[in-house]
Amino acid sequence: QAQLVQSGAEVKKPGASVRVSCKASGFTFSGYYMHWVRQAPGQGLEWLGRINPNGGTTRYAEKMQGRFTMAWDTSTTTVDMELTSLTSEDTAVYYCAREGSGFDRWGQGTRVTV
Amino acid sequence: DIQMTQSPSSLSASVGDRVTITCRASQGIGYSLAWYQQRPGKAPELLIYAASRLESGVPSRFSGSGSGADYTLTISSLQPEDFATYYCQQHYGLPRTFGQGTKVEVK
């Protein structure tokens, strides 16, 4: 069945960068937009960006422009996110999600602590 | 950006109660609305998409309705496993904005 499995928790110092991976399995990777969403402690869900694995086009949240990038690898069916110039405000759980009709599959989440 | 406003931000209810959560978009979004349930420490799970379509495997006590800018999630008879936080999300345009969430707590 369709599944998204993310890389493990990260602890970073302010100013550093972090890369989180999301491996897709059980579905045709190129057939779905993939998104990243984050959730700061005790807060709601914040959309970060989207990638079309069939072509690689990306769109990012305006507040993340310049610090946030998404990349995909169709050979390994992995979607990565990288966030640079980390501050304490980037401390959150980061989720990847597949967009079918709504975000119908989610990764388990990766905790990033700055 | 399309802003999504949920109400209430929290509510207290008992098992068996009928629960209604509303979500208002800052503009019409043409039925492009999803609802998610999130339990503590877990990823969100899709309940409803296209405003009223039940995701496969979701109990029929969950239903969605609405049109234009105003949408509703209803739980017809609250069960113990339904105490959680619920989010709406528009999938009409980018960014894919979420409501701020509604926490359903035990009364």
Side-chain angles (χ1 to χ4, degrees), chain A residues 33 35 37 39 43-47 50 59 61-62 95 99 101-109, chain B residues 1 34 36 38 41-46 48-50 55 87 89 91 94-100:
Chain A
Y33 288 107
H35 298 252
V37 175
Q39 186 169 38
Q43 302 300 307
L45 301 170
E46 179 183 19
W47 181 84
R50 179 189 83 177
R59 285 284 303 273
E62 189 170 344
Y95 295 101
E99 184 171 25
S101 299
F103 289 9
D104 61 357
R105 292 290 185 276
W106 294 69
Q108 81 277 19
Chain B
D1 296 1
Y36 302 88
Q38 187 179 32
K42 300 295 186 182
E45 295 183 359
L46 179 65
I48 301 280
Y49 63 94
E55 174 71 350
Y87 294 91
Q89 181 205 31
H91 46 101
L94 293 175
R96 294 278 196 260
T97 41
F98 292 90
Q100 77 276 21

Side-chain angles (χ1 to χ4, degrees), chain B residues 46-70:
Chain B
L46 179 65
L47 299 174
I48 301 280
Y49 63 94
S52 61
R53 296 183 180 271
L54 199 65
E55 174 71 350
S56 176
V58 174
S60 59
R61 63 181 179 273
F62 292 93
S63 64
S65 63
S67 63
D70 294 309

Side-chain angles (χ1 to χ4, degrees), chain B:
Chain B
D1 296 1
I2 299 173
Q3 308 303 316
M4 306 300 293
T5 303
Q6 270 182 252
S7 61
S9 56
S10 66
L11 63 90
S12 298
S14 301
V15 172
D17 284 354
R18 182 181 182 88
V19 168
T20 299
I21 300 167
T22 63
C23 183
R24 173 166 286 179
S26 58
Q27 65 178 73
I29 56 172
Y31 303 102
S32 296
L33 186 99
W35 290 97
Y36 302 88
Q37 177 192 68
Q38 187 179 32
R39 298 189 176 100
K42 300 295 186 182
E45 295 183 359
L46 179 65
L47 299 174
I48 301 280
Y49 63 94
S52 61
R53 296 183 180 271
L54 199 65
E55 174 71 350
S56 176
V58 174
S60 59
R61 63 181 179 273
F62 292 93
S63 64
S65 63
S67 63
D70 294 309
Y71 298 87
T72 299
L73 173 70
T74 299
I75 310 172
S76 60
S77 178
L78 198 66
Q79 297 302 299
E81 60 269 30
D82 300 337
F83 292 99
T85 301
Y86 295 84
Y87 294 91
C88 63
Q89 181 205 31
Q90 60 83 17
H91 46 101
Y92 184 79
L94 293 175
R96 294 278 196 260
T97 41
F98 292 90
Q100 77 276 21
T102 296
K103 187 173 185 179
V104 177
E105 300 176 300
V106 177
K107 190 172 185 178

